[in-house]
Amino acid sequence: MSRRNRRVATICAGVFFGMVGMSYAAVPLYDLLCRVTGLGGTTQRAEEAPDTIIERKITVRFDGNVTPGLGWEFAPEHRAVTMKMGETGQMAYVARNAGPAPSVGTSVFNVTPFEAAVYFNKLECFCFTEQPLAPGESVNMPVVFFVDPAMDKDPELKHVTEITLSYTFYPAETPVKPVAAKSDDAAAPNRL
């Protein structure tokens, strides 16, 4: 193999392994980008409530959806709450398995308008965790949140008086079941 062919092969291998590495890094990097910028309505996660509460009020609307195939009923206890920016609020969503069999769901969320998502902070949330429910079983799932008072200083959001927090429940991926072990009789050779 000539020197030039080895160089081309090395470059191709490097590009291949670089692309494989980037594909593994894409999901965490995209998640980080969404959390930092609020891209796609991704809310922020906070460890504690802000020290400042301002007089500007904001109405937070709540929405709950279930994808086909889960067989659940899912909705917020209340459709909206009006609060001051910086004030901590709590809302509970109620999920009920209306199907005939046990099932497991997991939820994703977003905030609209998307530009306001960077100011919507959750202190406690049930999102991205698997929730098992037996047939007919119900569960209350709280969300503790606040709207950062810094939103008041954002000139592009001066007109915003309402934010909508929307959750959608999906069936959780079913765990892979192990292949049944063969019995000793089935593994033994057939003798005549």
Side-chain angles (χ1 to χ4, degrees):
M1 184 181 249
S2 76
R3 185 177 211 184
R4 185 172 182 205
N5 288 344
R6 274 190 295 242
R7 184 173 179 222
V8 169
T10 302
I11 290 171
C12 288
V15 168
F16 171 77
F17 287 112
M19 290 174 69
V20 169
M22 288 303 292
S23 69
Y24 281 105
V27 171
L29 289 175
Y30 182 73
D31 182 51
L32 177 64
L33 174 71
C34 289
R35 281 188 279 129
V36 169
T37 65
L39 182 68
T42 303
T43 63
Q44 305 302 304
R45 181 95 174 129
E47 297 299 320
E48 59 186 39
D51 295 336
T52 307
I53 297 174
I54 63 172
E55 290 303 311
R56 180 176 169 191
K57 292 189 176 182
I58 189 96
T59 299
V60 180
R61 299 204 175 279
F62 303 95
D63 179 48
N65 303 287
V66 179
T67 60
L70 186 57
W72 286 14
E73 296 167 357
F74 175 67
E77 284 186 332
H78 303 283
R79 289 287 174 195
V81 63
T82 300
M83 54 196 285
K84 294 178 180 178
M85 289 185 173
E87 187 177 15
T88 300
Q90 180 171 337
M91 177 59 60
Y93 280 77
V94 179
R96 186 178 85 78
N97 182 354
S103 59
V104 179
T106 187
S107 67
V108 295
F109 63 89
N110 75 342
V111 168
T112 52
F114 292 152
E115 300 80 17
V118 72
Y119 299 105
F120 192 93
N121 293 270
K122 292 188 291 185
L123 296 165
E124 183 181 328
C125 179
F126 55 87
C127 46
F128 303 117
T129 57
E130 291 188 354
Q131 178 63 55
L133 288 176
E137 183 181 10
S138 294
V139 65
N140 283 11
M141 297 174 284
V143 178
V144 180
F145 62 93
F146 65 89
V147 177
D148 192 329
M151 181 175 154
D152 190 50
K153 294 180 176 125
D154 189 331
E156 293 185 23
L157 297 174
K158 285 287 188 186
H159 69 282
V160 174
T161 58
E162 292 184 357
I163 293 175
T164 301
L165 174 63
S166 180
Y167 284 93
T168 302
F169 255 99
Y170 295 88
E173 290 188 23
T174 352
V176 177
K177 294 182 181 177
V179 176
K182 294 181 179 178
S183 69
D184 290 337
D185 293 334
N190 224 354
R191 294 190 187 143
L192 294 176

